[in-house]
Amino acid sequence: MKIFTSAQIRELDRYTIEHEPIQSIDLMERAASTLARTIANTWDSSVKVVVFAGPGNNGGDALAVARLLGEQGYQVAVFLFNIRGRLSPDCLINKRRVQECKHIKKFVEVTQEFDPPQLEKGMLVIDGLFGSGLNKPLAGGFASLVKYINASPAEVVAIDMPSGLMSEDNTYNVSSNIIRASVTLTLQQPKLSFLFPENQQFIGRLRTLDIRLSQEGISKIDANYTVIEESDVRPLLKERNPFAHKGQMGHALIMAGSYGMAGAAILATKACLRAGAGKVTVHTPRKNCQIMQVAVPEAVLQLDHEETIITEAVDTENFQALGIGPGIGQNEATAIPFIAQLRRATCPIVADADAINILASHRAWKQQLPKGIILTPHAKELDRLEGASVDSFERLTKAHQLAERLHGYVIVKGRYTAICMPDGHIRFNSTGNAGMATAGSGDVLTGIITALLARGYEPQHACIVGVYLHGLAGDLAARDLGEESLTASDIIDYLPRAFKRLKE
């Protein structure tokens, strides 16, 4: 599913109007009908409705919704803000329709002074002040109105977007001047800013409503942002040859686990095996020998000559993929062979956790990273690597630029894990849940992606399939066990079910 910018949303509207063909006012009526029907299915006509409409097309949507709800027996009061004496053409048409509607309890066009209505518990506020076209923070009277609505006990439904929130970049926005919706009813497709954690407080429960915009237009508009869906992943899965043997299923090398952090090595190794690698060798300090052999008997051990840390760079000629970083620590005696390992590796690489922290403390080494490398930082690790960010949009921009500079892949882990591709495209994952916010979850992802690379997946496909599978296994585990009790080991245990579901 594509995520469009505000400019592309307008382009899609125009394309639909021109090619359906349909008049813009009729397209607005179609959207309003869907919105009104959704609201009516959630709140019955006993609820009092207060509609705040702005001067643009978002306000036009709100006015049409007000009229449709009024015709269904709802008590509706409408406040249209026309401070500058300019309404969009479709908003003007819907203003006249509201004025002609006998079912609207109250209509006020605000041009100067505004006497706000009393908003009480049990009321429903429909926010149609500003939509996806907003390009600067709210100020003045509109900011005061937003604060007034937010301070009220009424439930708030935002049309398309909570007013004050911008579609993409909210880095310099003013959070107190953004509507905090109970429910956001967005039109056709979610907006980029909905995928960032700091904006959840404004969105509330999100519902995406299909208003039948042109599918041809959607396919023709090239989006830099997409959301990975099951239909994208299924075609990428490789089938096993019935006559395959372990030597044909890929040999992966995992370099992980300083002494005391053997768990990271165990999790990455188990996940690598569960994700289908034919053979997995683990390079780890000598003191991890016994626990590794007991915990993962299927793995081959390659012990470092040091007792407690990794201090060797090894030959990768016989391996099809390398996963490096989980639990290795940041000792300088590990850092030096680490960069040597990356320079001499002849296979695809996944670098995670302490691998990223080492690079953050030796920033010049980033220039030595091989093309095609896959980095899997969480937000704080990326901040250490690329500098602190004000918000998720700035962080995503830095990750995107890093992927382009490295000609590699940067996977920023989170609720909607973002895969930044070297060609500039960013793909957000749709699977996963809050129960996966647990120690070791990232180590599991490293193992999965390493296995897929060893299996012969292209790096781009290994990222997409690996991230989706990781989240899907977490979702299946949460369904059975609950989010509160989820552990990284549970994700590994449910990987077989995730694979099975995708192959059904």
Side-chain angles (χ1 to χ4, degrees), residues 9-20:
I9 292 167
R10 291 193 293 273
E11 181 184 347
L12 179 58
D13 284 343
R14 285 195 300 270
Y15 191 96
T16 302
I17 290 165
E18 291 170 7
H19 291 80
E20 187 166 332

Side-chain angles (χ1 to χ4, degrees), residues 30-51:
R30 180 196 293 175
S33 296
T34 304
L35 288 161
R37 184 168 56 251
T38 303
I39 292 169
N41 287 338
T42 308
W43 290 274
D44 63 37
S45 58
S46 65
V47 69
K48 293 181 179 178
V49 179
V50 179
V51 176

Side-chain angles (χ1 to χ4, degrees), residues 14-300:
R14 285 195 300 270
Y15 191 96
T16 302
I17 290 165
E18 291 170 7
H19 291 80
E20 187 166 332
I22 186 173
Q23 292 186 35
S24 61
I25 188 63
D26 295 328
L27 181 60
M28 183 174 285
E29 187 73 8
R30 180 196 293 175
S33 296
T34 304
L35 288 161
R37 184 168 56 251
T38 303
I39 292 169
N41 287 338
T42 308
W43 290 274
D44 63 37
S45 58
S46 65
V47 69
K48 293 181 179 178
V49 179
V50 179
V51 176
F52 293 108
N57 283 347
N58 192 251
D61 289 332
L63 293 173
V65 169
R67 172 174 48 80
L68 292 169
L69 289 177
E71 291 171 353
Q72 295 179 54
Y74 288 79
Q75 296 183 58
V76 182
V78 180
F79 295 84
L80 170 61
F81 291 83
N82 187 11
I83 308 301
R84 296 182 180 177
R86 292 197 307 269
L87 301 178
S88 73
D90 289 341
C91 185
L92 179 60
I93 291 172
N94 272 308
K95 168 195 164 182
R96 291 168 180 163
R97 289 178 177 178
V98 165
Q99 289 174 317
E100 294 167 1
C101 180
K102 298 178 182 179
H103 304 285
I104 297 297
K105 181 181 177 183
K106 182 178 184 180
F107 174 78
V108 177
E109 184 171 3
V110 180
T111 57
Q112 291 181 336
E113 296 298 320
F114 173 52
D115 183 18
Q118 185 69 32
L119 301 179
E120 300 172 350
K121 186 176 178 62
M123 280 186 170
L124 180 65
V125 170
I126 296 179
D127 163 34
L129 293 170
F130 297 96
S132 60
L134 190 70
N135 57 14
K136 61 182 179 180
L138 296 184
F142 283 117
S144 297
L145 174 59
V146 165
K147 289 173 182 174
Y148 178 74
I149 295 170
N150 287 343
S152 80
E155 288 196 88
V156 180
V157 172
I159 292 178
D160 203 26
M161 296 196 70
S163 292
L165 186 68
M166 289 178 271
S167 295
E168 295 96 40
D169 185 0
N170 287 276
T171 304
Y172 301 105
N173 210 340
V174 181
S175 62
S176 61
N177 296 346
I178 302 172
I179 285 286
R180 296 176 185 267
S182 311
V183 179
T184 296
L185 302 178
T186 199
L187 302 178
Q188 198 65 44
Q189 290 165 297
K191 313 306 184 279
L192 180 64
S193 59
F194 293 174
L195 305 181
F196 300 144
E198 60 267 26
N199 295 333
Q200 177 59 42
Q201 61 182 315
F202 311 118
I203 298 162
R205 299 189 305 278
L206 176 66
R207 291 195 60 183
T208 303
L209 306 183
D210 183 3
I211 60 169
R212 305 195 311 278
L213 294 181
S214 170
Q215 289 300 312
E216 182 179 63
I218 290 171
S219 66
K220 284 188 173 182
I221 297 173
D222 185 25
N224 280 335
Y225 310 107
T226 55
V227 175
I228 303 166
E229 299 177 289
E230 191 169 299
S231 58
D232 300 315
V233 178
R234 284 179 181 269
L236 302 179
L237 292 177
K238 290 182 177 289
E239 294 293 330
R240 284 181 175 249
N241 186 315
F243 292 92
H245 56 76
K246 66 181 180 183
Q248 296 173 324
M249 300 308 295
H251 189 178
L253 173 63
I254 299 289
M255 302 187 75
S258 58
Y259 184 61
M261 294 293 289
I266 292 168
L267 291 168
T269 304
K270 278 188 172 182
C272 194
L273 287 160
R274 279 291 195 191
K279 189 177 179 182
V280 181
T281 293
V282 188
H283 186 95
T284 196
R286 288 190 173 276
K287 278 196 172 183
N288 288 342
C289 177
Q290 186 173 357
I291 189 172
M292 290 297 301
Q293 295 228 293
V294 172
V296 199
E298 301 92 342
V300 177

